[in-house]
Amino acid sequence: MASTDPPPVAQGGEDTLSPSAVNRVLMELLISVGKTLVVVYPVYLTGYLGLSISWVLLCMLMVTWWRKNRVQKFSRIGSAIDFVDNEKQVIDTELSGSLQMASWVHFDDVEKVQWLNKVLEQAWPFFGMYMEKLLKESIQPTIRLTNSALKMFTFSKVHFGHKAPKITGIRAYTQEVDHREVVLDLNINFESDMEIDAAVNSAITAGVKGVRIQGTLRVILEPLISQAPLVGGITLFFIRRPTLGINWTGMTNLLDSPAFNSLSDDAIMDIIASLMVLPNRMCIPLIDQVKVDQMRFPLPRGVVRVHVLEARNLVAKDTYLRGLVKGKSDPYTIVRVGNQHFKTKTIDNCLDPKWNEVYEFVVHEAPGQELEVELFDEDNDNDDPLGNFRLDLGEVKKEKEMKQWFPLKSVEKGEVHLQLNWLSLQTDESLLRKSHDGLACAMLAIYLDSASNLPKNLSEVQQKHGKQPKEGRLTKTKSGPNSYVEFSVGKDVKKSKVVYANKDPEWGEGFTFFVQNVKTQELIIHVKEYDKKTSLGKLELPLNRLFNIPDMVLDQRFLLESSGATSEIKLKATLRILSMEEKPKTTVTTPQKEPPTSQAKDDGGVSTNAAASSFARPLDKGTRKDPSTPRQSHPLASDSGKPSTPNMRRYDSRSLLSENSLASSRFDLLDGASYPEAIRNHQGSFGEIKLTIRYAGLRKKLLVVVESCRDLFPCSENGTDSYVRLYLLPDQAFLHRKKTHVQKKTVSPSFNEKFEFDVPLTEALNRKLDVAVKNNKMFHRKEIKDIGTVIIDLSQVDLENGISEWFELTLPGLKKSI
């Protein structure tokens, strides 16, 4: 008969509980019993004392009210702190459409200039008198020459009103620019009550009554000189296209209708842009020695290459059946820098479009000019906006290369993926590279100065070549032709403004062209008559001629072909090679083992090796470090991996107030002997930590956000009970310690805790941030709790803009066993 007894369990089998498992179960049981007693004991105490149920309900009501009030209080405090930390972004979002918001209210580097507004108010009537004279004596005759139908054009009334422009803020640049110039940015808000009436004839009148303009006007005072008037010249221009609103009168009232309003405003804005929006400038030389061409058209700062790659998670704008059925969108992108703009192709019925298009922009001011990106949903009537964002090109110039997702503003969701490359302008011929995919390898800058002795009309050119037109006797002679200049490099064609009735016209304009092949392309110049579009002269200039002369600059007068015998054109042509600058790389240093003679001795005779391995470098997500390769340093860390004991304070372990104090800065380690054996035997990475560091200028505090860690050293079979400790060196007292909460049983904890250090910016730049990830439960009480540390040199961090990066954790003084 078979036995019914259960089979014996083998020792060490699957059903055997280990001592650690038994301890864990008992601990969880004790915790559950303790929680039950905490809840049940007040109920028992209430019955024992004979209290009624109303007291219990009252206590529960008070506790509930207290907890709710506490949560609301913390929520209000958190909202206030977030608002202070992101004040500029919040104000830009909430008040983007307001014209009355003064810049100095929320930008600490913008100042009030009430005295300048008072000066403008006092001088405004005289400015109106000057403009009235200018319109009637200069602009009115020019308008009459443009078309025979405008021969009777007259400004019947010119009054620039009583309201002067308001300067809502001024920002001065003196440290970031050349020492011989001063740069001012004026935030202008002009709501004018001007009245300008014009008459084409007795039956047709037009006019303007009220203009509103808002924008940022840059004023450059250069060069500063040592004699009166102390400034050689003044340059004025708008960095970006200003916003414009016009109230039309007379026949032009039609332009206020919805069908023509945007058209009229855009046309006026194009005129303003052609005069005072980069790259166009208004220049006022104050001394004769100033070179006007350098003031009106200085060499650009560089070129930015924009790769519009893709977008994701866009808003669905197309709806059907009166909104009952949601569709998708037909997105396209407009990319703009100053007065230059391009439009991508349209991707139909897609919320995650891919464009992969490349555009190149000439940058004249960086920082200052911005890259403007706008996404739209293409429709048959009005295109719906899908979001936008702006990026100062000074950031691209600083980073050299940027490839990232940019969140879209003015919409609830959506991102666009861009790659931005900064190309500098060089004269080194060896940097010339063959163009690929139609991208430019060089840039040509043309400054058109003037022309002289142009033929009056086509008949003079034909007479020079022995051709007499049939209607020669009937041709009416004029004082000079209405001429303009047309430039072309390949398929790129650009035109100058028209100068009327002048055989010696002066233009004073600049143009830029992108060049794909310096050796084969040429600059073709046509001087043409505006009325008949006929040629008054021609010039062909091969670009390899510029390539072979010093500094690649040609500044002279050129005789025109197919023109008058002495017809000349004066221009300046500058060729520059485009060189793509690489992003600053991290320097690689191999930790050197110090010889015994170079090691200093402390009180206890222990060698004081500097913790070179604790200086960290940021890592990209997903990257891993081979433990056999040497550690690499980062610009955010110390300058080198060598010991820097003369410049660092030394701390004796017995003088510290806590066992949790920084191990990497105590220099009392001896080959990692104080670390647990499991850590000493570990052959691999100790993990990474993600930190966000920036300086809040308005609050004058250094903000450090401990976000998360990954791949930490597992101190037990269930993971690690870890927390993060921070010091702002050299403050290492217990009072200055910052510490996160403990995250249990995980090797990839998420903290998301923010800490503040009350320190001025100038002082913060001379400090180092000491971060240590610690194990809350170590094997023995006296063993060091560090499982990874990093020291960040804040002098190498862009604190004003902030960083958010991964840093590799190391253990100083630890020699791994072989």
Side-chain angles (χ1 to χ4, degrees), residues 213-269:
I213 300 177
Q214 185 192 27
T216 301
L217 181 69
R218 174 160 290 188
V219 180
I220 301 179
L221 308 177
E222 65 169 347
L224 301 179
I225 56 179
S226 58
Q227 58 187 12
L230 301 181
V231 177
I234 302 175
T235 304
L236 308 171
F237 56 86
F238 285 101
I239 298 178
R240 294 174 294 276
R241 293 165 65 97
T243 59
L244 176 68
I246 301 177
N247 183 25
W248 300 97
T249 61
M251 291 291 292
T252 50
N253 265 327
L254 293 173
L255 298 177
D256 276 334
S257 62
F260 299 98
N261 182 263
S262 61
L263 178 63
S264 64
D265 288 354
D266 289 343
I268 299 296
M269 275 307 309

Side-chain angles (χ1 to χ4, degrees), residues 355-376:
W355 292 286
N356 294 317
E357 299 183 16
V358 186
Y359 305 101
E360 294 171 320
F361 296 92
V362 177
V363 182
H364 296 269
E365 295 290 327
Q369 283 187 282
E370 291 183 336
L371 172 68
E372 303 175 45
V373 178
E374 297 178 287
L375 275 72
F376 292 93

Side-chain angles (χ1 to χ4, degrees), residues 772-791:
V773 182
K774 293 178 175 287
N775 180 27
N776 193 46
K777 295 180 181 179
M778 218 56 185
F779 302 99
H780 297 90
R781 183 178 180 184
K782 294 185 179 181
E783 287 177 337
I784 296 177
K785 295 185 178 183
D786 291 347
I787 55 175
T789 63
V790 59
I791 295 180

Side-chain angles (χ1 to χ4, degrees), residues 523-803:
L523 172 66
I524 300 177
I525 305 169
H526 280 281
V527 182
K528 295 186 176 182
E529 189 172 11
Y530 177 70
D531 301 328
K532 302 178 181 180
K533 301 294 188 297
T534 54
S535 176
L536 299 176
K538 181 181 179 181
L539 175 66
E540 296 182 0
L541 183 64
L543 298 184
N544 57 6
R545 179 179 173 184
L546 292 169
F547 191 70
N548 297 322
I549 62 176
D551 201 31
M552 300 185 184
V553 177
L554 196 60
D555 186 3
Q556 65 181 64
R557 291 183 175 273
F558 298 89
L559 278 174
L560 292 172
E561 302 174 2
S562 304
S563 185
T566 58
S567 298
E568 294 180 332
I569 185 170
K570 183 181 179 182
L571 57 84
K572 178 180 179 181
T574 304
L575 184 67
R576 286 294 181 265
I577 307 301
L578 298 183
S579 175
M580 184 177 295
E581 300 187 7
E582 297 182 357
K583 192 172 183 178
K585 296 182 178 179
T586 58
T587 57
V588 180
T589 57
T590 303
Q592 302 290 333
K593 185 182 293 184
E594 293 295 325
T597 55
S598 65
Q599 295 177 352
K601 300 293 180 178
D602 210 344
D603 296 337
V606 180
S607 61
T608 57
N609 295 326
S613 61
S614 64
F615 298 148
R617 65 181 182 90
L619 298 174
D620 295 331
K621 293 183 178 180
T623 58
R624 299 294 301 161
K625 180 84 173 177
D626 190 335
S628 62
T629 60
R631 303 288 182 191
Q632 296 181 353
S633 63
H634 184 262
L636 303 182
S638 186
D639 294 340
S640 65
K642 296 182 180 181
S644 55
T645 51
N647 299 324
M648 298 182 65
R649 295 175 58 187
R650 300 177 183 173
Y651 297 89
D652 182 47
S653 59
R654 294 183 295 273
S655 66
L656 298 178
L657 300 178
S658 171
E659 196 67 35
N660 295 333
S661 298
L662 176 64
S664 62
S665 62
R666 293 191 307 194
F667 306 135
D668 59 351
L669 305 177
L670 185 58
D671 298 339
S674 299
Y675 290 112
E677 183 179 358
I679 291 182
R680 295 199 303 269
N681 295 333
H682 178 63
Q683 297 295 321
S685 172
F686 287 97
E688 302 160 21
I689 183 171
K690 186 175 184 181
L691 302 173
T692 298
I693 307 171
R694 73 181 187 88
Y695 191 83
L698 294 178
R699 302 175 58 201
K700 296 183 179 180
K701 292 181 182 294
L702 176 67
L703 306 181
V704 180
V705 180
V706 180
E707 297 191 14
S708 59
C709 298
R710 63 186 179 190
D711 301 331
L712 295 180
F713 173 77
C715 295
S716 68
E717 58 184 11
N718 298 319
T720 300
D721 297 346
S722 57
Y723 65 93
V724 180
R725 188 269 305 129
L726 298 95
Y727 282 121
L728 187 61
L729 298 180
D731 296 335
Q732 283 186 291
F734 185 80
L735 180 64
H736 301 291
R737 184 181 68 160
K738 308 289 185 181
K739 174 184 173 183
T740 67
H741 292 88
V742 178
Q743 298 293 327
K744 296 184 178 182
K745 300 179 183 179
T746 178
V747 295
S748 298
S750 179
F751 299 99
N752 292 320
E753 296 188 40
K754 181 168 64 176
F755 301 96
E756 299 180 352
F757 295 91
D758 192 0
V759 58
L761 177 59
T762 55
E763 185 178 345
L765 292 173
N766 297 322
R767 299 283 199 102
K768 293 182 180 181
L769 183 66
D770 190 350
V771 184
V773 182
K774 293 178 175 287
N775 180 27
N776 193 46
K777 295 180 181 179
M778 218 56 185
F779 302 99
H780 297 90
R781 183 178 180 184
K782 294 185 179 181
E783 287 177 337
I784 296 177
K785 295 185 178 183
D786 291 347
I787 55 175
T789 63
V790 59
I791 295 180
I792 302 172
D793 189 354
L794 298 181
S795 64
Q796 304 297 323
V797 179
D798 186 1
L799 294 180
E800 294 182 353
N801 295 324
I803 63 167

Side-chain angles (χ1 to χ4, degrees), residues 49-120:
L49 297 176
L51 299 176
S52 66
I53 193 65
S54 348
W55 287 100
V56 179
L57 295 176
L58 180 61
C59 293
M60 292 178 63
L61 181 62
M62 292 181 64
V63 170
T64 303
W65 174 84
W66 176 80
R67 292 182 62 181
K68 183 178 180 181
N69 185 65
R70 188 166 177 263
V71 170
Q72 293 178 349
K73 177 182 177 182
F74 286 159
S75 177
R76 291 194 300 270
I77 294 176
S79 300
I81 293 176
D82 290 339
F83 173 76
V84 173
D85 293 343
N86 304 282
E87 184 176 6
K88 181 178 178 180
Q89 291 81 357
V90 173
I91 293 177
D92 285 345
T93 302
E94 298 295 333
L95 301 175
S96 58
S98 174
L99 295 178
Q100 302 297 331
M101 190 61 187
S103 301
W104 49 265
V105 172
H106 54 275
F107 298 123
D108 55 354
D109 55 349
V110 176
E111 300 177 0
K112 294 188 294 183
V113 280
Q114 294 299 333
W115 63 271
L116 185 55
N117 288 324
K118 293 180 180 179
V119 172
L120 288 175

Side-chain angles (χ1 to χ4, degrees), residues 314-320 327-333 343 346-351 355 374-387:
L314 297 180
V315 178
K317 289 290 185 178
D318 294 336
T319 58
Y320 307 97
K328 294 187 178 181
S329 294
D330 306 322
Y332 67 88
T333 302
K343 176 185 175 182
T346 301
I347 308 297
D348 295 331
N349 198 29
C350 184
L351 297 181
W355 292 286
E374 297 178 287
L375 275 72
F376 292 93
D377 168 39
E378 189 175 75
D379 290 324
N380 294 329
D381 45 5
N382 292 328
D383 295 345
D384 298 319
L386 296 175

